[in-house]
């Protein structure tokens, strides 16, 4: 059965609701409208006003409609992408609070990893980078937790694959380059010179980058290195490079 909201029957049994699972109301309404009806066009995303204007009884199917859970997720993902970074940030803040993260009203990309305090602008920047990877706001933490807390452990398979002497020796040289970068420390300024430094030394880009990402994320998947290091800052970057060396050896 499909329940838009949590529902409890007379016997005390509770059935989960799509709202409680993190679906946006407007995405679910859009989905329900498309069950057994189509507008006669390829359009699938409608706001309420558009639905009211497009509806026609002639386009209602006589056969039974079939609910598709995967299509429901697709609708939610599309609606998530349509929302502003500010709206998604406001929805993400309660999730951060559950994980002991404080979001301040300070302007600028302030990040204090020791106090676990981050500015609203910092959080919104992260949201703008990760929202295309998520279906639900609740997934933001799993996708980007490393941008708020340092990894305490490392994926075993990724560590075995990338944390090898021939790789991490080069990774620490790249770390020195990043730490000594004297230009304005932004992704736009760092990304090009970083790639030129690695390619200029004819080092294996993939192995070096995944080695660095393992140190910063705890796994070989995540945002680009230039994105991560300019967000967390040089001090936190150096701390994570030191921690992985002590943990996995170098």
């Amino acid at each position: 059965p499909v329940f838009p909201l949590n529902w409890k029957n007379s016997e005390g049994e509770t059935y989960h609701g799509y709202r409680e699972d993190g679906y946006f109301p407007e995405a679910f309404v859009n989905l329900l409208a498309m069950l057994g009806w189509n507008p006669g066009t390829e359009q699938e995303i409608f706001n309420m006003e558009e639905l009211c204007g497009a509806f026609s009884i002639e386009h209602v199917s006589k056969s039974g409609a079939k609910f598709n859970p995967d299509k429901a997720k697709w609708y939610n993902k599309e609606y998530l992408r349509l929302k502003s970074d500010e709206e998604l940030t406001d929805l993400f803040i309660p999730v951060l609070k559950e994980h002991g993260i404080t979001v301040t009203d300070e302007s600028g990309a302030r990040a204090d990893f020791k106090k676990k305090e981050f500015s609203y602008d910092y959080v919104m920047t992260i949201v703008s980078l990760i929202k295309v990877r998520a279906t639900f706001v609740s997934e933001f933490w799993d996708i980007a937790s490393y941008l708020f807390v340092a990894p305490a452990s490392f994926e075993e398979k990724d560590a075995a694959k990338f944390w090898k002497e021939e790789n991490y020796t080069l990774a620490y040289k790249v770390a020195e380059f990043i730490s000594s970068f004297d230009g304005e420390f932004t992704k736009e300024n760092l990304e090009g010179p970083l790639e030129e430094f690695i390619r200029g030394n004819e080092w294996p880009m993939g192995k070096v980058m995944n080695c660095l990402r393992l140190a910063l994320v705890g796994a070989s998947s995540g945002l680009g290195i230039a994105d991560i290091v300019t967000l967390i800052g040089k001090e936190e970057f150096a701390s994570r490079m030191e921690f992985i060396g002590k943990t996995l050896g170098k």
Side-chain angles (χ1 to χ4, degrees):
V2 177
F3 296 96
L5 313 178
N6 275 351
W7 181 76
K8 183 180 291 186
N9 66 17
S10 59
E11 298 176 353
E13 297 174 318
T14 299
Y15 296 88
H16 79 277
Y18 275 73
R19 179 183 65 180
E20 287 74 19
D21 281 348
Y23 285 82
F24 298 121
E26 58 270 35
F28 201 76
V29 168
N30 196 157
L31 164 71
L32 292 178
M34 299 295 285
L35 289 176
W37 171 81
N38 74 81
T41 68
E42 296 297 317
Q43 184 176 349
E44 292 186 88
I45 304 297
F46 291 84
N47 59 37
M48 186 61 73
E49 183 178 352
E50 290 173 326
L51 280 173
C52 292
F55 182 80
S56 169
I57 195 69
E58 287 77 22
H59 288 143
V60 176
S61 174
K62 294 180 180 180
S63 59
K66 185 177 180 181
F67 184 83
N68 186 335
D70 291 332
K71 193 67 174 183
K73 290 181 179 179
W74 178 84
Y75 269 105
N76 208 71
K77 189 170 187 174
E78 292 300 309
Y79 271 84
L80 188 149
R81 292 182 179 184
L82 290 171
K83 291 185 178 295
S84 69
D85 294 341
E86 186 174 4
E87 184 176 0
L88 292 173
T89 299
D90 291 340
L91 293 172
F92 186 31
I93 287 175
V95 178
L96 290 173
K97 288 181 178 178
E98 290 177 2
H99 291 276
I101 304 299
T102 299
V103 180
T104 70
D105 293 330
E106 296 178 58
S107 60
R110 178 182 176 275
D112 190 327
F113 287 87
K114 292 180 180 179
K115 293 183 179 180
K116 293 186 178 181
E117 291 182 354
F118 302 86
S119 69
Y120 186 93
D121 290 344
Y122 178 87
V123 177
M124 188 158 64
T125 297
I126 291 171
V127 166
S128 71
L129 294 171
I130 66 170
K131 67 180 184 181
V132 296
R133 301 172 179 230
T135 300
F136 303 98
V137 172
S138 60
E139 296 173 346
F140 284 2
W141 176 258
D142 290 334
I143 294 171
S145 61
Y146 62 89
L147 295 170
F148 299 95
V149 293
S153 60
F154 304 94
E155 287 288 341
E156 191 173 336
K157 288 184 179 180
D158 292 340
K161 183 176 181 179
F162 296 110
W163 198 257
K164 300 176 181 178
E165 185 173 359
E166 65 267 25
N167 295 338
Y168 66 65
T169 299
L170 301 179
Y172 276 105
K173 291 180 180 179
V174 175
E176 291 176 7
F177 171 83
I178 293 173
S179 296
S180 61
F181 187 78
D182 58 3
E184 185 180 358
F185 203 57
T186 64
K187 176 202 173 179
E188 292 72 22
N189 288 340
L190 176 64
E191 193 169 40
L194 176 60
E195 184 174 336
E196 290 175 11
F197 177 74
I198 297 172
R199 294 194 186 282
N201 282 289
E202 299 183 347
W203 294 339
M205 180 70 71
K207 291 181 179 179
V208 172
M209 287 301 199
N210 279 313
C211 206
L212 287 169
R213 193 174 287 107
L214 180 66
L216 302 176
V217 179
S220 60
S221 60
L223 294 176
I225 297 301
D227 280 308
I228 299 172
V229 297
T230 53
L231 279 167
I232 66 175
K234 291 183 180 181
E235 183 179 349
E236 179 66 15
F237 170 58
S239 175
R240 296 189 188 190
M241 292 303 298
E242 181 181 2
F243 177 72
I244 194 172
K246 291 179 178 179
T247 305
L248 300 183
K250 66 174 183 175

